Amino acid sequence: MVRPPPVDQNERNGANSNRPGAEELAEAALKLAEFLPLWQLDIVELTGHNLEARGREEVNRLLEAGWRLLHIYTLKYREDDVWRERPMAILGRSRKS
């Protein structure tokens, strides 16, 4: 549910009383995207990165560049007879970003 925009001086005077702000529109679009199936997000490129220190910097850079976080999971693998776990992220770039 989208919360109503904050009241400012223009709204108290009756100007722009029914127009949501850019922040509210962006928030509503993000909430709508959470419910859309993956194929409706118009994803044209996927990438996966670990979320440990070095990989986290790359993930943050991609998010700032407009990529969308699609999924976080734990990769479990065996290395030198020891089972290890690594947090991973899948990101997607939409055609519009």
Side-chain angles (χ1 to χ4, degrees):
M1 177 182 248
V2 178
R3 64 179 193 273
V7 177
D8 66 343
Q9 188 62 35
N10 290 333
E11 289 180 349
R12 286 189 193 117
N13 295 332
N16 299 328
S17 60
N18 293 329
R19 295 183 61 201
E23 181 180 314
E24 286 78 17
L25 289 174
E27 185 177 317
L30 284 175
K31 290 196 178 291
L32 177 63
E34 291 175 4
F35 296 106
L36 289 175
L38 185 59
W39 60 87
Q40 289 185 353
L41 294 177
D42 202 19
I43 300 295
V44 294
E45 188 175 352
L46 291 172
T47 186
H49 288 280
N50 73 55
L51 293 175
E52 294 171 338
R54 193 170 30 156
R56 194 170 334 148
E57 294 170 2
E58 177 68 11
V59 168
N60 287 334
R61 187 187 66 74
L62 291 170
L63 290 172
E64 288 174 3
W67 288 65
R68 183 181 305 256
L69 180 62
L70 300 175
H71 189 66
I72 296 177
Y73 65 98
T74 301
L75 175 66
K76 297 179 182 184
Y77 62 99
R78 192 171 184 161
E79 181 180 42
D80 299 327
D81 293 329
V82 176
W83 282 98
R84 302 186 187 276
E85 295 183 358
R86 178 170 291 173
M88 301 292 291
I90 298 175
L91 295 101
R93 183 178 63 85
S94 71
R95 193 174 314 274
K96 297 173 186 170
S97 64

